[in-house]
Each structure stands twice: as C-alpha cells, then as structure tokens.
Amino acid sequence: MFETNDIAIAAYLMMKGLPLKDCSIAPTGKYIFIFHDPNNLAHQLSLEFLNSDCSRFDNQMRNLRKLLASKKRP
C-alpha cells in the first residue's frame, strides 16, 4: 500500500495505472489517498511526477488560482 495527501500525485499515480483503494478527507481537512502498490512503484512514480511537466503544470494552476483569489471583484 502507498499513501499520499497530494491530489496531484494521486492523479498521476492513477494515470500510471495504480489502483486507488480508498480516499477520504481527514478531520484536519487533508486529503488521504491509498493505493494498492504490490510492485512498490508508487514512490518512484511520485518522484517521476515531481520532475515532470505535469508537476510544473500543476504548480502553474495553483499560481493562477492564488492570483485570481487575490483579485477583488468590483
């Protein structure tokens, strides 16, 4: 089993074919994603994600959301 709180990594792992076993939201508001990982690939795939264009795209999406959140509506 492999667990992550990062929704972008979870999406990447799903895209790479790892089966999602469970997901929930902790009382603290953090996401919890648990994957079935019989071949112990999730850690390596997580590192692959962090060095990928997918990660850069995700970071720019976050930046745009922050930018929009900082704007006040007239």
Side-chain angles (χ1 to χ4, degrees):
M1 296 296 165
F2 180 82
E3 182 176 317
T4 183
N5 303 102
D6 189 306
I7 195 169
I9 288 176
Y12 189 78
L13 293 177
M14 291 177 73
M15 192 173 76
K16 290 295 188 171
L18 284 182
L20 181 67
K21 297 303 280 182
D22 193 22
C23 62
S24 60
I25 301 175
T28 60
K30 278 189 163 185
Y31 298 131
I32 302 169
F33 300 97
I34 300 173
F35 289 87
H36 183 62
D37 185 22
N39 299 321
N40 295 315
L41 298 173
H43 179 73
Q44 183 62 37
L45 289 171
S46 296
L47 294 175
E48 182 181 296
F49 168 77
L50 292 172
N51 291 307
S52 72
D53 284 339
C54 293
S55 178
R56 288 186 282 283
F57 176 82
D58 184 57
N59 286 333
Q60 292 308 321
M61 291 289 287
R62 289 178 198 196
N63 289 337
L64 288 169
R65 285 188 193 110
K66 288 177 188 174
L67 178 65
L68 289 171
S70 71
K71 303 281 183 182
K72 292 187 178 182
R73 291 185 179 211

